[in-house]
Amino acid sequence: MIIEGDTCLDTWKKALKYIMDSGSDFTDTDNRQCREVLNLMVNISKPEEDYDSLMDVMKKFNWIYPTEEELSTIIFNKEDLAIYEFSYGPRIFNYFGKKDQINDFVIPLLKSNPNSRRAVISLFNPYIDSDIVNNNIPS
């Protein structure tokens, strides 16, 4: 399923409606009730137009939702942070301490071949995440 919209907020609302209408319920390993849709793709044509307003909407929920500063630290910091079991930033921008997957691979690849299907990054680290007792891994 592909959900398309102009802005983040508009597309997010469409995606939530689809998940609520068509999703499957399950209980995760932390005993939380969840609903999911597999193979959902979201295409936002103008994501820069309302990013800030989307963050304001998210803050209104009673979810424990990270601040913009915390999200930035988790996503863009290239170093592992001791307060988290894992951070996305090191896995995206400093994979195995060697590879910036976005700037050294994805961007150059898409500039040379915009239709490439090889523009994929990996967050899974088999040396750490394959441990059967490790329940908190990127997904």
Side-chain angles (χ1 to χ4, degrees), residues 2-136:
I2 299 173
I3 295 177
E4 296 182 334
D6 287 334
T7 66
C8 296
L9 185 57
D10 174 53
T11 312
W12 178 63
K13 287 178 181 178
K14 290 177 185 178
L16 285 180
K17 180 166 179 15
Y18 181 76
I19 292 166
M20 294 306 295
D21 292 347
S22 305
S24 300
D25 294 334
F26 69 96
T27 303
D28 73 5
T29 56
D30 293 324
N31 206 31
R32 296 176 295 198
Q33 294 299 316
C34 304
R35 179 168 288 189
E36 72 179 352
V37 171
L38 301 178
N39 302 315
L40 176 63
M41 185 169 79
V42 176
N43 185 3
I44 305 169
S45 61
K46 301 173 188 170
E48 68 284 350
E49 285 194 5
D50 70 342
Y51 170 79
D52 291 332
S53 66
L54 180 63
M55 295 301 288
D56 292 337
V57 170
M58 293 299 293
K59 290 175 188 174
K60 293 177 184 176
F61 287 95
N62 291 327
W63 301 339
I64 299 172
Y65 198 76
T67 64
E68 289 178 60
E69 294 79 25
E70 187 177 7
L71 281 173
S72 180
T73 299
I74 294 168
I75 295 171
F76 296 113
N77 190 334
K78 294 181 181 184
E79 304 303 319
D80 281 317
L81 303 171
I83 58 174
Y84 301 108
E85 290 184 49
F86 72 88
S87 298
Y88 292 98
R91 293 177 184 220
I92 295 170
F93 299 105
N94 194 20
Y95 198 72
F96 284 98
K98 298 177 182 178
K99 189 72 164 180
D100 180 333
Q101 297 186 79
I102 299 292
N103 295 302
D104 295 343
F105 176 66
V106 170
I107 291 173
L109 174 65
L110 292 176
K111 282 183 176 180
S112 68
N113 182 1
N115 296 319
S116 176
R117 295 181 302 148
R118 294 179 52 228
V120 177
I121 63 169
S122 177
L123 297 175
F124 189 82
N125 179 337
Y127 294 109
I128 299 168
D129 302 329
S130 294
D131 188 342
I132 196 76
V133 297
N134 187 358
N135 289 327
N136 194 9

